[in-house]
Amino acid sequence: MVVKRHCVNYDIKISSDNLNVASCIEWVSAPGCGGIDVFVGTVRSETKGKKVVRLEFEAYEAMAVKEMEKIAQIAIAKFSVHKVLIHHRTGVLDVGDIPVIIAVSAAHRGAAFDACRYAIDTLKETVPIWKREVFEDGAVWVAAHP
Amino acid sequence: MVVKRHCVNYDIKISSDNLNVASCIEWVSAPGCGGIDVFVGTVRSETKGKKVVRLEFEAYEAMAVKEMEKIAQIAIAKFSVHKVLIHHRTGVLDVGDIPVIIAVSAAHRGAAFDACRYAIDTLKETVPIWKREVFEDGAVWVAAHP
Amino acid sequence: MTISIRAFGVVKEIFGAISVNVDLPENATAKILKGHLQEIYPALSKLTSFALAVNSEYANDETVISSKDEVAIIPPVSGG
Amino acid sequence: MTISIRAFGVVKEIFGAISVNVDLPENATAKILKGHLQEIYPALSKLTSFALAVNSEYANDETVISSKDEVAIIPPVSGG
């Protein structure tokens, strides 16, 4: 399953297949850009001291790509960056797997860092994707309950 | 030509060969880490409106790896990150080529962003590497003169 | 009018379903629907928060729902 | 004593060489060497700045130089 939205300066994807960092960096790369900042999420082996067996990600795809598109558009306008790429996995992920890649290219590095951080921070607040942490003795939907 | 320094939690390299982003990310990746921030420098096609033909990088290798090692050690101590990788190219680079890769893994993303930015900002201030910008009508050593 | 509500994440467990159909007065707002759902599914009130999406956009309390809209419950997101 | 000074970047062009040998009094400091070099190579004073490295560490004005040290001029760096 793959849902995409793209444009000359942004590339949004939600996919149940592995994400590829090298091709993401290649996509945002451009002759006028002097710096690329990339955030790569990885599945941690533990949460608050509890061993994580796997993660399961579920997305409301139609809405998630729209929210990711807004993030990319705002990041480009707000930080004057060249290109923004946001790819997110769904399905079952093991420890070390990559749930999310955000790559931003810009003429100057400060803008790339700021826009990349804005994008991951906002994604975690607004994009309708949910993570279920599976432990050896049970599972929880992250952040669902206080 | 390759000069290296490494340790369990940092990896420093100055090399006249191409840098490889995917293997850098793989190196910093670890089961306990939840986020990786990567800065990729790229050769820009122009500087202040002037077309850049190529860049030439020269390093005082013995000193540069020591300064890069200090940056990695301070970044790890100051921001409590897992692993820091700093690779820098020397020699002739064309537009789009990658002069520098910095990758930082951490349990939490804020620390990875902060440490990565610290590392590239400090590298540009202290590491004895010099860049000659070659234009169609001449060349300059960047930052040499006011 | 009958509105179909899509469920994701923890809400699928609360509903025991991937969607439920509820009867609402014409021109009901998102606020009315939220109140209605909290009555039928008290477990929703135990969540950190939940929002409604109408046609895959976040709704606010005043958003009016019509029978052709795609409506979904958005429990606290946790992507990334 | 005779000290060999390595040059990098723009300093290679100023020296017209990748290293030069200069005569210094015993126990000369980095400050003395810098002044000496600026006299011989006035173009050094036109740089944004320049530092000395002794044994591949940045020297400060008080750093004492001995004949066995590896000394280098570090013009403004521009890596990254």
Side-chain angles (χ1 to χ4, degrees), chain B residues 5 60-64 66-67 70 128, chain D residues 6 52-59 69-72 74:
Chain B
R5 289 222 173 188
Y60 178 10
E61 285 96 359
M63 181 174 173
K66 278 165 92 171
E67 291 294 325
K70 285 177 198 166
Chain D
R6 298 184 63 175
L52 286 182
V54 176
N55 299 325
S56 63
E57 294 283 352
Y58 282 105
D69 290 334
E70 173 170 309
V71 179
I74 310 293

Side-chain angles (χ1 to χ4, degrees), chain D residues 26-71:
Chain D
E26 295 293 328
N27 298 320
T29 60
K31 189 178 183 177
I32 289 172
L33 175 53
K34 282 180 85 171
H36 187 66
L37 289 166
Q38 281 172 304
E39 255 176 57
I40 322 175
Y41 301 101
L44 288 176
S45 304
K46 293 187 180 147
L47 296 177
T48 309
S49 67
F50 74 94
L52 286 182
V54 176
N55 299 325
S56 63
E57 294 283 352
Y58 282 105
N60 56 44
D61 280 353
E62 292 72 41
T63 304
V64 174
I65 295 165
S66 82
S67 62
K68 285 176 182 160
D69 290 334
E70 173 170 309
V71 179

Side-chain angles (χ1 to χ4, degrees), chain C residues 26-71:
Chain C
E26 294 294 327
N27 298 319
T29 60
K31 187 177 183 178
I32 289 172
L33 175 55
K34 282 180 85 171
H36 187 68
L37 289 166
Q38 281 172 305
E39 254 176 59
I40 321 174
Y41 301 100
L44 287 176
S45 304
K46 291 186 181 150
L47 296 177
T48 309
S49 67
F50 74 94
L52 286 182
V54 175
N55 299 325
S56 63
E57 295 283 354
Y58 281 105
N60 56 43
D61 280 353
E62 290 72 41
T63 303
V64 173
I65 295 165
S66 81
S67 59
K68 286 176 183 163
D69 290 333
E70 173 170 306
V71 179

Side-chain angles (χ1 to χ4, degrees), chain B residues 6 29 42 46-47 51 59 63 66 69 84 86 94 101 105:
Chain B
H6 59 93
S29 205
T42 51
E46 56 176 68
T47 295
K51 193 181 160 209
M63 181 174 173
K66 278 165 92 171
E69 191 173 31
V84 174
I86 310 177
D94 296 320
I101 297 174
S105 61

Side-chain angles (χ1 to χ4, degrees), chain B residues 41 57-63 66-67 70 88 99-100 120 123-132 141-146, chain D residues 6-14 43 46-49 52-53 55-58 70-80:
Chain B
F57 283 89
E58 179 183 345
Y60 178 10
E61 285 96 359
M63 181 174 173
K66 278 165 92 171
E67 291 294 325
K70 285 177 198 166
H88 205 296
V100 64
I120 182 65
L123 180 146
K124 284 174 176 271
E125 281 171 14
T126 65
V127 177
I129 297 178
W130 298 273
K131 175 165 48 196
R132 189 164 172 264
W141 286 101
V142 176
H145 294 99
Chain D
R6 298 184 63 175
F8 296 97
V10 71
V11 178
K12 284 197 303 195
E13 295 176 2
I14 292 171
K46 293 187 180 147
L47 296 177
T48 309
S49 67
L52 286 182
N55 299 325
S56 63
E57 294 283 352
Y58 282 105
E70 173 170 309
V71 179
I73 296 204
I74 310 293
V77 303
S78 53

Side-chain angles (χ1 to χ4, degrees), chain B:
Chain B
M1 199 288 309
V2 179
V3 182
K4 291 183 183 188
R5 289 222 173 188
H6 59 93
C7 176
V8 64
N9 54 359
Y10 60 82
D11 183 85
I12 306 297
K13 186 169 86 171
I14 297 173
S15 166
S16 54
D17 295 331
N18 280 338
L19 305 182
N20 182 309
V21 182
S23 67
C24 292
I25 291 172
E26 202 174 315
W27 190 84
V28 296
S29 205
C33 95
I36 298 170
D37 191 43
V38 187
F39 177 76
V40 179
T42 51
V43 176
R44 256 213 311 270
S45 53
E46 56 176 68
T47 295
K48 291 165 195 159
K50 265 187 108 172
K51 193 181 160 209
V52 172
V53 176
R54 64 173 187 276
L55 293 189
E56 297 167 6
F57 283 89
E58 179 183 345
Y60 178 10
E61 285 96 359
M63 181 174 173
V65 290
K66 278 165 92 171
E67 291 294 325
M68 286 156 82
E69 191 173 31
K70 285 177 198 166
I71 290 171
Q73 289 169 337
I74 292 172
I76 290 164
K78 187 169 172 177
F79 301 101
S80 298
V81 297
H82 282 239
K83 288 181 162 187
V84 174
L85 173 146
I86 310 177
H87 286 185
H88 205 296
R89 272 289 299 279
T90 52
V92 176
L93 278 78
D94 296 320
V95 170
D97 282 354
I98 296 176
V100 64
I101 297 174
I102 298 182
V104 178
S105 61
H108 300 286
R109 71 186 185 281
F113 276 107
D114 289 341
C116 188
R117 197 158 182 169
Y118 165 81
I120 182 65
D121 288 350
T122 310
L123 180 146
K124 284 174 176 271
E125 281 171 14
T126 65
V127 177
I129 297 178
W130 298 273
K131 175 165 48 196
R132 189 164 172 264
E133 276 177 337
V134 181
F135 304 105
E136 280 163 335
D137 60 352
V140 293
W141 286 101
V142 176
H145 294 99

